[in-house]
């Protein structure tokens, strides 16, 4: 069907990223690095001509939580995308229940499936600095 939902408008995507504590950085840096998760979703959407209309950052959220469905109910989202199943498992309390709710509502749920960044010590340090100083005006550069 291409990049159109049939009405001539671009397919609108809500990108799901996981909100995982900074303490998990050494164990699974990608799960902690929500910026890279959203970037992967944006790359996936751009490759298809889709438009990211919402970036969600959640942890163990209920599948029926309003934060997930408000933009769908408002007609602003056609597809949910997450970088991978691992992110979905961290972001949602029940991936199966969320998948079922997506099917019930006629909303696609996709995973980007792109290669994750390789985290070396320097990259982990940048993620740590960005996440540990959010109120200091640090922009992650």
């Amino acid at each position: 069907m291409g990049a159109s939902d049939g009405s001539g408008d671009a397919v609108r995507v809500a990108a799901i990223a996981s909100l995982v504590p900074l303490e998990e950085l050494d164990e699974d840096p990608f799960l902690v690095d929500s910026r890279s998760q959203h970037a992967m979703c944006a790359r996936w959407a751009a490759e298809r001509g889709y438009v990211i209309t919402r970036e969600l950052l959640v942890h163990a959220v209920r599948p029926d939580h309003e934060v997930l469905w408000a933009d769908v109910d408002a007609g602003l989202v056609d597809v949910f995308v997450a970088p991978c199943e691992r992110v979905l498992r961290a972001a949602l309390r029940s991936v199966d229940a969320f998948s079922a709710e997506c099917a019930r509502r006629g909303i696609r749920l996709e995973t980007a499936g792109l290669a994750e960044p390789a985290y070396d010590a320097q990259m982990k340090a940048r993620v740590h600095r960005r996440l540990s100083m959010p109120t200091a005006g640090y922009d992650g550069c």
Side-chain angles (χ1 to χ4, degrees):
M1 180 193 268
S4 175
D5 64 5
S7 66
D9 297 330
V11 173
R12 299 155 303 180
V13 178
I16 299 173
S18 60
L19 180 61
V20 174
L22 186 56
E23 291 78 25
E24 306 283 328
L25 184 63
D26 284 330
E27 185 178 323
D28 194 338
F30 186 66
L31 275 186
V32 175
D33 187 3
S34 58
R35 182 179 283 178
S36 289
Q37 292 175 43
H38 277 140
M40 183 183 289
C41 292
R43 191 167 57 251
W44 176 90
E47 287 172 359
R48 288 155 180 76
Y50 298 173
V51 177
I52 299 284
T53 57
R54 182 83 155 112
E55 289 186 339
L56 301 165
L57 181 60
V58 293
H59 175 73
V61 70
R62 291 185 337 263
D64 64 345
H65 196 285
E66 179 183 339
V67 73
L68 297 169
W69 299 106
D71 287 346
V72 171
D73 292 341
L76 303 173
V77 169
D78 305 305
V79 178
F80 285 106
V81 67
C84 59
E85 287 289 326
R86 202 165 80 258
V87 168
L88 278 176
R89 287 192 306 272
L92 303 168
R93 202 173 284 173
S94 170
V95 175
D96 290 341
F98 183 68
S99 295
E101 185 63 16
C102 286
R104 188 184 75 74
R105 292 175 180 243
I107 299 294
R108 286 181 13 230
L109 174 60
E110 303 277 350
T111 53
L114 303 173
E116 294 180 17
Y119 290 86
D120 59 14
Q122 189 176 40
M123 203 164 154
K124 285 182 186 178
R126 280 194 301 268
V127 171
H128 186 278
R129 192 168 42 250
R130 178 172 42 85
L131 294 176
S132 64
M133 301 186 339
T135 58
Y138 181 72
D139 66 3
C141 296

